[in-house]
Amino acid sequence: MLKFLKMIKLLVANWKANPETLTEAVRLAKNIDYTGVVIAPPFPFLDGVRKVIHKAKLAAQNVFWSDGPYTGEVSANQLKKLGVRYAIIGHSERRRNLNEIDAIINKKVTAALNNSIKPILCVGEGPELHKSGDHSKVLRFIDNQLKLDLHGIRNPRGVIIAYEPIWAIGTGNSDSTEHVSKVVALIKERLGSVSILYGGSVNPNNADKFMSIAGISGALIGGASLKSSEFKKIISISKRY
Ligand code: 13P
């Protein structure tokens, strides 16, 4: 009976602008095709990956809010028609490198929900704020991102929140369980029982620590999701919870 009540952890593989070829993408996808895994390949590989996965689900790394005359964009409607179930929105790499502001992120979250795509909304503080050591300031910063990014969303429970402290992404320095727990408490206080992922240097050595945090539903994984042996280890760790 307990088995049925257990919520399976969600492991989102954010491949970013990797790998180089469709052949490699397909090979990687086949290796990590497990229940609970969500694969977010770059746009050119979405359809190829879709064709070879059976248990994993598909995510886009970005989404646009409309069809029509928007050169270079891919709409939520197009992604839905392709079978994409999730979309990563507001990743710090897009906020920083493409000036993606909260008003844009809010439009993307809204469009994804309107097209039955589950947004994985990324929030998190940068290195300066982290270095200040002022936890309440960090929480206020995240709270403000949630407020702006989810403006007008009537049912935020349809959104997955990924807490990704920017200073922890790709650095090998993951966050402490104490700090992640404080952020989880803040998110729950503001949004109720939403799913929350942790992201930032998750690997087979620290996955256990993050999976065991109360209120954490899984992880958003960059680098380690490109090495199937590492990612598989994280999958088996996640199955313990
Ligand atoms: P890393 O796991 O490489 O730190 O990347 C995290 C991330 O940005 C996932 O979206």
Side-chain angles (χ1 to χ4, degrees):
M1 184 65 183
L2 254 180
K3 211 169 166 31
F4 292 104
L5 293 173
K6 204 172 132 180
M7 284 293 284
I8 194 158
K9 297 282 188 195
L10 204 63
L11 299 177
V12 183
N14 180 8
W15 290 353
K16 308 188 180 184
N18 300 290
E20 283 183 27
T21 65
L22 175 61
T23 309
E24 287 173 80
V26 162
R27 186 159 41 86
L28 188 53
K30 282 180 175 167
N31 276 333
I32 60 170
D33 182 23
Y34 290 89
T35 306
V37 170
V38 175
I39 304 176
F43 283 132
F45 305 149
L46 272 173
D47 196 42
V49 167
R50 178 187 66 81
K51 287 180 181 137
V52 298
I53 55 176
H54 302 285
K55 294 181 177 161
K57 301 279 185 270
L58 206 53
Q61 294 177 19
N62 181 31
V63 66
F64 194 68
W65 56 80
S66 177
D67 294 308
Y70 298 99
T71 304
E73 295 297 339
V74 179
S75 74
N77 178 41
Q78 290 170 318
L79 292 169
K80 176 178 69 178
K81 301 247 157 73
L82 191 64
V84 170
R85 304 277 289 274
Y86 299 83
I88 298 171
I89 298 177
H91 194 283
S92 59
E93 287 154 9
R94 297 191 60 84
R95 291 181 191 255
R96 192 181 57 220
N97 299 318
L98 296 156
N99 282 338
E100 210 166 273
I101 58 169
D102 292 298
I104 287 179
I105 292 163
N106 177 245
K107 285 175 94 154
K108 293 183 173 187
V109 171
T110 308
L113 287 171
N114 288 342
N115 284 281
S116 310
I117 291 175
K118 234 179 199 316
I120 300 170
L121 171 65
C122 302
V123 295
E125 77 283 6
E128 300 79 19
L129 206 46
H130 171 63
K131 271 196 217 124
S132 78
D134 188 338
H135 285 300
S136 53
K137 218 168 173 185
V138 169
L139 293 180
R140 276 204 304 280
F141 177 82
I142 295 166
D143 195 35
N144 194 47
Q145 282 187 320
L146 292 173
K147 190 176 88 191
L148 298 174
D149 297 346
L150 297 175
H151 177 74
I153 308 286
R154 263 190 270 142
N155 184 12
R157 286 187 197 178
V159 180
I160 296 170
I161 306 297
Y163 171 53
E164 293 209 308
I166 298 170
W167 53 269
I169 295 176
T171 59
N173 301 319
S174 59
D175 204 349
S176 69
T177 46
E178 295 74 21
H179 187 247
V180 175
S181 298
K182 280 187 190 158
V183 176
V184 166
L186 166 85
I187 297 169
K188 300 261 183 208
E189 191 187 309
R190 176 167 271 282
L191 304 176
S193 63
V194 286
S195 295
I196 304 170
L197 310 179
Y198 168 78
S201 295
V202 175
N203 61 45
N205 298 323
N206 62 22
D208 197 57
K209 155 179 129 174
F210 292 112
M211 297 301 158
S212 64
I213 298 175
I216 283 288
S217 303
L220 179 52
I221 303 165
S225 74
L226 292 164
K227 297 177 195 124
S228 45
S229 59
E230 286 202 12
F231 197 70
K232 278 175 165 172
K233 282 185 198 156
I234 300 174
I235 295 171
S236 54
I237 291 165
S238 78
K239 301 272 183 237
R240 295 185 204 145
Y241 293 92

